[in-house]
Amino acid sequence: MDERAKGRGDAQAVRERVRGFALELPGAYEDFPWGESVVKVNRKIFVFLFLGHLVAGQGDSPPTVTVKLTDPEAHAHAMSAPGAVPTGYGLGRAGWVTIPLGEPDAPDAELLCDWVEESYRTIAPKRLVARLDARAAG
């Protein structure tokens, strides 16, 4: 397997681990607007899990994870990941960051899950965040 294919396979595995983690959070469920996977809580998206696709003139793009990080330190850390960009459609101004997977030195699944939890805490109702905290304490 060439390095590009190996990186893409690893990226899919990381994406699936992050997806599984997100779906375990209280009240979380998967939806498919635009034909792409997102995970929502209380009908609001807290993580986008795009698979990657052929981009006109640019070849095959990697899968990505997009999260909302309002903590300045977490946001800066995510933006320092290879290839990370503020999310398009004006979402970047609200703290959303898109992180490509499969890049050399891309964040590992554990760090991405931390960012997913941060995004969840920003989006989820307080009662569900309290359930998450109770689960972690118990």
Side-chain angles (χ1 to χ4, degrees), residues 61-122:
S61 68
T64 60
V65 171
T66 299
V67 289
K68 183 173 185 173
L69 300 172
T70 56
D71 174 72
E73 189 174 311
H75 189 271
H77 190 198
M79 286 297 296
S80 73
V85 294
T87 306
Y89 303 103
L91 294 172
R93 289 191 298 271
W96 289 90
V97 180
T98 298
I99 303 116
L101 307 177
E103 298 283 327
D105 299 322
D108 63 17
E110 184 176 340
L111 180 55
L112 290 164
C113 288
D114 287 347
W115 291 339
V116 166
E117 183 175 329
E118 168 92 17
S119 186
Y120 173 87
R121 289 175 176 280
T122 300

Side-chain angles (χ1 to χ4, degrees), residues 31-38 40 45 50:
D31 197 5
F32 296 93
W34 321 289
E36 295 277 5
S37 174
V38 301
K40 295 180 175 182
I45 297 170
F50 289 177

Side-chain angles (χ1 to χ4, degrees), residues 19-39:
R19 179 183 165 273
F21 173 82
L23 289 170
E24 290 175 3
L25 296 169
Y29 64 96
E30 191 169 27
D31 197 5
F32 296 93
W34 321 289
E36 295 277 5
S37 174
V38 301
V39 183

